[in-house]
Amino acid sequence: MPAPAPLADLAGWLAATAPAEAMRSNAWLYPAVETAHILGFVLLVGAVAMFDLRVLGFGRALPPRELARYLLPWSAASLLLVVPSGLLLFSAQAGDMAANQVFLLKMGLVIAAGLNALAFHLSPWWRTGGAQAPGPRARLHAGLSLLFWIAVITCGRMLAYV
């Protein structure tokens, strides 16, 4: 299935840039950038998963706000690795990735995970400081977060095989 026209246009432009050319022509650059992307994802998903597990009831001795104060900066900082490295990886194979259903699913899941996180941070439990035990809505967001990120990782690995 061909890529949607706006995405195909963007992919074509991106594939012609100097960084994309460098990604394709340097034998060590692509694996180095891929390693940075994976390390960023480890930081992001690790921090998110630890917080989600706390909201789901694990590690009750840790106050959620204290844990969030420590973990959220790590997850935010990880985006400094994940986003640029992901763009570079995409640029190297932009035409193929723009038409790849697994890649498009991965991006959709990343958006869903982000919207879920936004909804969680706008939830009454979070806005009131999380002093009480997390309610069903907070636990639902935490469970969805874990599922979304596991699915993102799965899609990312599948890209090597489809």
Side-chain angles (χ1 to χ4, degrees):
M1 173 182 279
L7 187 56
D9 293 343
L10 175 64
W13 173 82
L14 195 56
T17 64
E21 291 289 336
M23 289 289 290
R24 288 189 297 273
S25 63
N26 184 310
W28 290 99
L29 188 56
Y30 192 95
V33 171
E34 188 171 32
T35 299
H37 192 66
I38 291 168
L39 289 174
F41 242 86
V42 166
L43 288 173
L44 173 65
V45 177
V48 169
M50 291 298 98
F51 185 76
D52 289 341
L53 289 170
R54 172 57 190 95
V55 171
L56 290 170
F58 296 91
R60 293 179 197 259
L62 299 167
R65 278 293 182 176
E66 292 301 314
L67 190 59
R69 191 179 346 229
Y70 181 72
L71 292 176
L72 289 178
W74 282 100
S75 62
S78 72
L79 295 175
L80 297 174
L81 280 174
V82 172
V83 174
S85 62
L87 286 171
L88 283 169
L89 293 170
F90 176 78
S91 74
Q93 304 173 27
D96 292 338
M97 289 294 110
N100 186 308
Q101 296 301 304
V102 174
F103 175 78
L104 296 175
L105 175 60
K106 178 185 173 186
M107 291 300 99
L109 288 163
V110 167
I111 291 168
L115 292 173
N116 181 61
L118 177 63
F120 174 80
H121 286 280
L122 296 174
S123 72
W125 179 77
W126 182 256
R127 285 183 295 154
T128 60
Q132 307 86 13
R137 182 175 170 187
R139 288 192 306 273
L140 174 65
H141 286 298
L144 286 173
S145 174
L146 287 171
L147 290 174
F148 286 141
W149 288 116
I150 289 168
V152 167
I153 291 167
T154 302
C155 287
R157 287 304 310 137
M158 287 178 61
L159 285 173
Y161 304 103
V162 295

XYZ file of all heavy atoms in Angstrom, residues 78-152:
556
model
N 14.841 11.692 27.928
C 15.058 10.626 26.946
C 14.568 11.035 25.566
O 15.075 10.543 24.557
C 14.356 9.343 27.390
O 12.949 9.473 27.252
N 13.606 11.937 25.527
C 13.100 12.402 24.230
C 14.189 13.109 23.426
O 14.114 13.161 22.197
C 11.889 13.304 24.426
C 10.663 12.615 25.030
C 9.564 13.629 25.301
C 10.177 11.491 24.144
N 15.209 13.629 24.131
C 16.331 14.266 23.431
C 17.150 13.245 22.640
O 17.872 13.614 21.718
C 17.229 15.011 24.422
C 16.573 16.177 25.165
C 17.518 16.734 26.224
C 16.145 17.261 24.185
N 17.049 11.979 22.999
C 17.668 10.905 22.227
C 16.683 10.298 21.237
O 17.020 10.059 20.082
C 18.167 9.790 23.154
C 19.478 9.991 23.876
C 19.726 8.848 24.851
C 20.620 10.093 22.886
N 15.479 10.036 21.696
C 14.511 9.280 20.902
C 14.061 10.045 19.657
O 14.050 9.478 18.557
C 13.289 8.890 21.763
C 12.190 8.277 20.920
C 13.696 7.929 22.867
N 13.695 11.291 19.809
C 13.123 12.036 18.677
C 14.149 12.287 17.567
O 13.914 11.912 16.413
C 12.431 13.333 19.147
C 11.981 14.175 17.965
C 11.232 12.989 20.046
N 15.307 12.894 17.864
C 16.251 13.122 16.761
C 16.770 11.820 16.144
O 16.904 11.728 14.919
C 17.398 13.912 17.388
C 16.986 14.271 18.751
C 15.775 13.484 19.108
N 17.053 10.819 16.979
C 17.548 9.561 16.411
C 16.461 8.881 15.585
O 16.745 8.311 14.526
C 18.060 8.636 17.514
O 17.025 8.286 18.413
N 15.211 8.959 16.034
C 14.113 8.382 15.258
C 13.938 9.074 13.917
O 13.720 8.420 12.892
N 14.078 10.393 13.904
C 13.985 11.131 12.638
C 15.119 10.746 11.693
O 14.906 10.602 10.481
C 13.990 12.637 12.893
C 12.698 13.206 13.469
C 12.890 14.666 13.895
C 11.568 13.092 12.456
N 16.317 10.582 12.241
C 17.445 10.172 11.399
C 17.233 8.766 10.841
O 17.494 8.513 9.662
C 18.751 10.234 12.191
C 19.328 11.629 12.403
C 20.468 11.593 13.414
C 19.784 12.230 11.085
N 16.768 7.839 11.686
C 16.498 6.479 11.212
C 15.430 6.492 10.128
O 15.557 5.814 9.108
C 16.074 5.584 12.383
C 17.149 5.291 13.421
C 16.542 4.616 14.636
C 18.270 4.453 12.830
N 14.373 7.260 10.347
C 13.306 7.377 9.352
C 13.852 7.958 8.056
O 13.553 7.460 6.965
C 12.164 8.242 9.898
C 11.071 8.491 8.904
C 10.129 7.510 8.626
C 10.978 9.704 8.238
C 9.115 7.732 7.701
C 9.973 9.939 7.312
C 9.037 8.950 7.052
N 14.684 8.988 8.165
C 15.192 9.663 6.962
C 15.994 8.726 6.071
O 15.978 8.861 4.855
C 16.037 10.880 7.339
O 17.305 10.493 7.848
N 16.686 7.778 6.673
C 17.525 6.866 5.900
C 16.705 5.941 5.009
O 17.185 5.492 3.970
C 18.405 6.039 6.833
N 15.480 5.665 5.407
C 14.602 4.764 4.650
C 13.200 5.363 4.528
O 12.208 4.654 4.597
C 14.501 3.421 5.366
C 15.820 2.749 5.607
C 15.664 1.516 6.478
O 14.630 0.883 6.501
N 16.713 1.177 7.189
N 13.143 6.664 4.368
C 11.880 7.390 4.455
C 10.808 6.860 3.504
O 9.658 6.681 3.906
C 12.108 8.881 4.217
N 11.159 6.603 2.269
C 10.164 6.120 1.306
C 9.564 4.789 1.721
O 8.345 4.601 1.687
N 10.418 3.865 2.129
C 9.932 2.551 2.554
C 9.117 2.646 3.843
O 8.070 2.015 3.979
C 11.107 1.584 2.776
C 11.809 1.225 1.487
O 11.189 1.349 0.411
O 12.985 0.831 1.559
N 9.617 3.424 4.807
C 8.936 3.517 6.103
C 7.573 4.204 5.984
O 6.625 3.815 6.649
C 9.794 4.267 7.130
C 10.994 3.507 7.608
S 10.564 2.030 8.548
C 11.048 0.757 7.418
N 7.482 5.214 5.122
C 6.224 5.949 4.974
C 5.107 5.063 4.452
O 3.929 5.337 4.679
C 6.419 7.149 4.050
N 5.466 3.981 3.769
C 4.462 3.060 3.230
C 4.359 1.766 4.047
O 3.556 0.899 3.719
C 4.809 2.717 1.780
N 5.142 1.650 5.100
C 5.185 0.431 5.906
C 4.070 0.464 6.958
O 4.070 1.337 7.832
C 6.561 0.301 6.570
C 6.738 -0.996 7.303
O 5.915 -1.377 8.123
N 7.848 -1.660 7.032
N 3.169 -0.489 6.892
C 2.022 -0.509 7.806
C 2.444 -0.692 9.268
O 1.818 -0.134 10.169
C 1.029 -1.612 7.399
C 0.396 -1.392 6.038
C -0.356 -0.078 5.949
O -1.244 0.186 6.749
N 0.005 0.750 4.993
N 3.503 -1.438 9.501
C 3.978 -1.629 10.879
C 4.551 -0.319 11.411
O 4.304 0.059 12.565
C 5.008 -2.776 10.963
C 5.612 -2.873 12.359
C 4.371 -4.095 10.568
N 5.295 0.407 10.574
C 5.821 1.706 10.998
C 4.676 2.674 11.296
O 4.694 3.377 12.309
C 6.747 2.301 9.932
C 7.212 3.678 10.284
C 8.228 3.867 11.201
C 6.620 4.794 9.702
C 8.645 5.143 11.550
C 7.033 6.067 10.037
C 8.047 6.249 10.960
N 3.683 2.706 10.420
C 2.544 3.599 10.642
C 1.785 3.219 11.912
O 1.348 4.096 12.666
C 1.626 3.594 9.423
C 2.258 4.139 8.134
C 1.313 3.967 6.959
C 2.683 5.586 8.295
N 1.653 1.927 12.176
C 1.026 1.475 13.417
C 1.858 1.921 14.614
O 1.317 2.410 15.614
C 0.863 -0.051 13.407
C 0.326 -0.685 14.699
C -1.058 -0.138 15.045
C 0.293 -2.204 14.559
N 3.176 1.771 14.518
C 4.055 2.208 15.611
C 3.848 3.694 15.902
O 3.718 4.091 17.063
C 5.520 1.935 15.251
C 6.501 2.397 16.319
C 7.946 2.215 15.877
C 8.880 2.840 16.895
N 10.274 2.823 16.480
N 3.807 4.512 14.870
C 3.628 5.949 15.074
C 2.243 6.251 15.676
O 2.111 7.112 16.540
C 3.820 6.715 13.764
C 5.251 6.704 13.254
S 6.441 7.446 14.401
C 7.125 6.003 15.190
N 1.232 5.520 15.224
C -0.102 5.682 15.802
C -0.116 5.320 17.281
O -0.759 5.999 18.105
N 0.598 4.263 17.637
C 0.680 3.850 19.040
C 1.451 4.859 19.883
O 1.104 5.111 21.044
C 1.320 2.468 19.141
C 0.451 1.309 18.655
C 1.304 0.070 18.408
C -0.668 1.021 19.646
N 2.505 5.459 19.318
C 3.242 6.506 20.033
C 2.309 7.690 20.313
O 2.301 8.240 21.425
C 4.494 6.950 19.238
C 5.090 8.229 19.805
C 5.527 5.836 19.219
N 1.516 8.059 19.323
C 0.550 9.152 19.516
C -0.473 8.773 20.579
O -0.793 9.570 21.469
C -0.125 9.526 18.181
C 0.904 10.180 17.252
C -1.331 10.430 18.399
C 0.449 10.329 15.813
N -0.986 7.536 20.518
C -1.957 7.075 21.521
C -1.340 7.095 22.914
O -1.994 7.511 23.883
C -2.452 5.672 21.167
N -0.082 6.667 23.043
C 0.595 6.681 24.339
C 0.739 8.111 24.852
O 0.541 8.378 26.043
C 1.955 6.003 24.244
N 1.083 9.033 23.955
C 1.211 10.436 24.348
C -0.116 11.039 24.782
O -0.185 11.758 25.789
N -1.176 10.745 24.046
C -2.501 11.251 24.421
C -2.973 10.641 25.743
O -3.598 11.325 26.569
C -3.516 10.973 23.312
C -3.304 11.766 22.024
C -4.258 11.287 20.927
C -3.471 13.262 22.279
N -2.659 9.377 25.948
C -3.005 8.721 27.213
C -2.263 9.388 28.378
O -2.846 9.631 29.434
C -2.669 7.224 27.140
C -3.014 6.498 28.400
O -4.175 6.445 28.816
N -2.007 5.924 29.040
N -0.978 9.698 28.181
C -0.201 10.376 29.224
C -0.775 11.763 29.506
O -0.892 12.167 30.669
C 1.267 10.480 28.816
N -1.155 12.469 28.456
C -1.764 13.789 28.631
C -3.059 13.672 29.427
O -3.291 14.437 30.381
C -2.031 14.436 27.272
C -2.734 15.790 27.297
C -1.884 16.831 28.001
C -3.071 16.233 25.879
N -3.906 12.714 29.068
C -5.170 12.515 29.794
C -4.897 12.167 31.255
O -5.597 12.641 32.155
C -5.999 11.420 29.119
N -3.879 11.358 31.508
C -3.525 11.016 32.887
C -3.135 12.262 33.666
O -3.568 12.473 34.788
C -2.378 9.992 32.912
C -1.877 9.723 34.302
C -2.570 8.867 35.145
C -0.729 10.337 34.776
C -2.121 8.630 36.439
C -0.276 10.107 36.056
C -0.967 9.248 36.892
N -2.284 13.105 33.060
C -1.822 14.309 33.755
C -2.923 15.358 33.920
O -2.771 16.269 34.738
C -0.592 14.891 33.052
C 0.633 14.078 33.305
N 1.373 14.164 34.455
C 1.230 13.117 32.565
C 2.370 13.308 34.413
N 2.309 12.653 33.266
N -4.007 15.210 33.183
C -5.164 16.099 33.356
C -6.221 15.477 34.270
O -7.231 16.122 34.562
C -5.782 16.431 32.001
C -4.894 17.230 31.047
C -5.570 17.371 29.678
C -4.555 18.596 31.630
N -5.988 14.263 34.724
C -6.984 13.553 35.530
C -7.090 14.170 36.922
O -6.139 14.762 37.438
C -6.627 12.072 35.647
O -5.508 11.893 36.495
N -8.247 14.009 37.545
C -8.434 14.554 38.898
C -7.412 13.996 39.906
O -6.912 14.738 40.743
C -9.853 14.130 39.274
C -10.540 13.869 37.975
C -9.477 13.421 37.018
N -7.105 12.710 39.815
C -6.172 12.124 40.776
C -4.807 12.810 40.693
O -4.215 13.157 41.705
C -6.014 10.610 40.536
C -5.050 9.977 41.486
C -5.298 9.663 42.790
C -3.694 9.618 41.238
N -4.175 9.111 43.363
C -3.172 9.074 42.422
C -2.868 9.691 40.121
C -1.867 8.607 42.536
C -1.569 9.227 40.224
C -1.083 8.695 41.420
N -4.314 13.037 39.492
C -3.008 13.664 39.327
C -3.054 15.129 39.739
O -2.162 15.622 40.415
C -2.542 13.529 37.880
C -1.184 14.114 37.659
C -0.893 15.306 37.062
C 0.068 13.551 38.052
N 0.460 15.515 37.049
C 1.081 14.434 37.657
C 0.435 12.380 38.702
C 2.423 14.201 37.881
C 1.779 12.139 38.922
C 2.750 13.046 38.516
N -4.125 15.814 39.358
C -4.217 17.250 39.667
C -4.349 17.508 41.157
O -3.973 18.569 41.628
C -5.373 17.891 38.907
C -5.048 18.081 37.430
C -6.154 18.776 36.699
N -7.316 17.890 36.739
C -8.557 18.295 36.654
N -8.842 19.551 36.522
N -9.546 17.427 36.696
N -4.884 16.546 41.904
C -5.011 16.736 43.358
C -3.773 16.273 44.104
O -3.768 16.227 45.322
C -6.247 15.990 43.901
O -6.109 14.600 43.616
C -7.525 16.546 43.312
N -2.726 15.917 43.391
C -1.466 15.575 44.034
C -1.257 14.099 44.275
O -0.230 13.705 44.825
N -2.204 13.264 43.926
C -2.037 11.831 44.095
C -1.886 11.403 45.540
O -1.224 10.410 45.822
N -2.486 12.166 46.460
C -2.348 11.845 47.878
C -3.090 10.560 48.247
O -2.635 9.801 49.097
C -2.858 13.009 48.724
N -4.235 10.334 47.613
C -4.988 9.116 47.893
C -4.485 7.998 46.982
O -3.740 8.222 46.047
C -6.497 9.318 47.621
C -7.129 10.495 48.308
C -6.956 11.766 47.502
O -6.588 11.745 46.344
N -7.195 12.891 48.151
N -4.951 6.796 47.264
C -4.619 5.669 46.391
C -5.189 5.950 44.999
O -6.270 6.531 44.874
C -5.205 4.381 46.958
N -4.472 5.549 43.962
C -4.975 5.782 42.604
C -6.319 5.096 42.391
O -6.517 3.951 42.787
C -3.903 5.148 41.704
C -2.681 5.086 42.556
C -3.160 4.917 43.962
N -7.233 5.828 41.772
C -8.552 5.283 41.485
C -8.563 4.489 40.191
O -7.527 4.350 39.527
N -9.738 4.009 39.808
C -9.837 3.192 38.596
C -9.363 3.916 37.334
O -8.731 3.309 36.474
C -11.327 2.858 38.503
C -11.866 3.080 39.868
C -10.996 4.102 40.522
N -9.659 5.205 37.230
C -9.254 5.952 36.033
C -7.733 6.043 35.936
O -7.158 5.834 34.861
C -9.877 7.343 36.056
C -9.551 8.166 34.844
C -10.287 9.473 34.841
N -9.792 10.339 33.797
C -10.148 11.583 33.638
N -11.045 12.110 34.446
N -9.658 12.302 32.680
N -7.068 6.343 37.049
C -5.603 6.421 37.042
C -5.000 5.058 36.716
O -4.039 4.959 35.943
C -5.091 6.921 38.395
N -5.570 3.994 37.279
C -5.059 2.652 36.994
C -5.305 2.267 35.537
O -4.470 1.605 34.918
C -5.692 1.641 37.953
C -5.155 1.784 39.385
C -5.539 0.618 40.280
N -6.948 0.347 40.330
C -7.829 0.916 41.152
N -7.404 1.796 42.035
N -9.104 0.602 41.115
N -6.437 2.691 34.980
C -6.706 2.424 33.564
C -5.642 3.085 32.687
O -5.102 2.458 31.776
C -8.100 2.922 33.173
C -8.440 2.833 31.676
C -8.479 1.370 31.231
C -9.752 3.534 31.385
N -5.331 4.352 32.976
C -4.297 5.053 32.204
C -2.952 4.351 32.332
O -2.213 4.223 31.347
C -4.170 6.514 32.647
C -5.279 7.386 32.184
N -5.545 7.623 30.852
C -6.214 8.088 32.872
C -6.589 8.434 30.750
N -7.012 8.724 31.956
N -2.604 3.901 33.535
C -1.329 3.212 33.740
C -1.302 1.900 32.957
O -0.296 1.583 32.309
C -1.100 2.957 35.227
N -2.379 1.150 33.004
C -2.438 -0.108 32.256
C -2.357 0.115 30.761
O -1.632 -0.600 30.053
N -3.084 1.112 30.272
C -3.023 1.430 28.844
C -1.618 1.874 28.444
O -1.121 1.503 27.378
C -4.041 2.525 28.491
C -5.499 2.108 28.448
C -6.400 3.326 28.261
C -5.733 1.091 27.339
N -0.993 2.658 29.290
C 0.362 3.119 29.012
C 1.298 1.932 28.817
O 2.056 1.880 27.837
C 0.850 4.005 30.161
O 2.204 4.349 29.993
N 1.251 0.980 29.728
C 2.109 -0.203 29.595
C 1.813 -0.951 28.302
O 2.730 -1.353 27.582
C 1.922 -1.128 30.796
C 2.544 -0.642 32.105
C 2.103 -1.529 33.258
C 4.057 -0.587 31.999
N 0.534 -1.127 27.990
C 0.164 -1.839 26.760
C 0.631 -1.092 25.515
O 1.166 -1.699 24.587
C -1.343 -2.067 26.704
C -1.902 -3.079 27.694
C -3.433 -3.104 27.630
C -1.340 -4.463 27.434
N 0.425 0.227 25.494
C 0.852 1.017 24.333
C 2.363 0.913 24.126
O 2.832 0.703 23.007
C 0.463 2.489 24.477
C -1.001 2.773 24.280
C -1.650 3.712 25.067
C -1.740 2.128 23.303
C -2.991 3.995 24.885
C -3.088 2.396 23.116
C -3.714 3.337 23.908
N 3.150 1.069 25.198
C 4.599 1.050 25.047
C 5.125 -0.329 24.683
O 6.063 -0.448 23.898
C 5.297 1.631 26.275
C 5.108 3.108 26.345
C 4.456 3.812 27.306
C 5.533 4.077 25.384
N 4.450 5.155 26.994
C 5.109 5.344 25.827
C 6.240 3.993 24.187
C 5.374 6.511 25.108
C 6.498 5.160 23.469
C 6.069 6.397 23.934
N 4.513 -1.376 25.204
C 4.900 -2.730 24.799
C 4.603 -2.921 23.310
O 5.407 -3.494 22.568
C 4.189 -3.790 25.669
C 4.766 -3.765 27.081
C 4.306 -5.183 25.046
C 3.960 -4.560 28.092
N 3.470 -2.416 22.861
C 3.114 -2.528 21.444
C 4.058 -1.707 20.569
O 4.441 -2.146 19.476
C 1.664 -2.087 21.233
N 4.470 -0.525 21.026
C 5.429 0.299 20.281
C 6.753 -0.450 20.124
O 7.327 -0.510 19.031
C 5.654 1.664 20.967
C 6.865 2.394 20.379
C 4.408 2.534 20.854
